[in-house]
Amino acid sequence: MTKILLIDDNKQRDRALEEGLRLYGYEIVTTSQDNDWRSLVGNACPDLILIDMDTTGVNSWQVIQTLKTSSSTWLIPTIAISNQSIEGKLL
């Protein structure tokens, strides 16, 4: 089963994403805490990481940079999500 790590503090969106993705057979692991994602990446071995760019207490840019510069995680696909309008801004 494909495992997805969701780093997000929006509980309503978490539930919607979890329910939708589980319908397609994905296993979802969630966290909204800055320190939790490190242990979850190591322990859960996700196949994909979804990260909210506006999670309180998490520097999402730093998380992505850490993931992409680590030899053990740089190959894990990472998708930034947000419900903020960022027209004209490049992620």
Side-chain angles (χ1 to χ4, degrees):
M1 179 180 294
T2 301
K3 191 178 295 184
I4 298 173
L5 173 59
L6 174 60
I7 304 171
D8 190 0
D9 63 348
N10 183 319
K11 298 298 180 197
Q12 187 175 15
R13 183 175 48 208
D14 284 358
R15 279 191 303 266
L17 281 170
E18 282 183 64
E19 289 174 16
L21 292 169
R22 282 199 174 111
L23 286 174
Y24 289 96
Y26 296 103
E27 180 182 348
I28 311 300
V29 178
T30 63
T31 185
S32 62
Q33 301 298 313
D34 189 31
N35 293 328
D36 288 350
W37 71 266
R38 293 176 195 271
S39 62
L40 286 172
V41 168
N43 295 331
C45 301
D47 300 292
L48 172 69
I49 298 171
L50 299 175
I51 183 167
D52 176 23
M53 297 308 289
D54 302 309
T55 299
T56 305
V58 176
N59 182 332
S60 302
W61 293 111
Q62 188 173 10
V63 171
I64 292 169
Q65 182 179 15
T66 300
L67 289 168
K68 295 306 167 189
T69 57
S70 171
S71 62
S72 62
T73 58
W74 73 275
L75 288 174
I76 301 172
T78 303
I79 298 174
I81 59 175
S82 178
N83 55 343
Q84 298 287 327
S85 175
I86 55 171
E87 187 174 327
K89 292 186 180 179
L90 181 62
L91 286 180

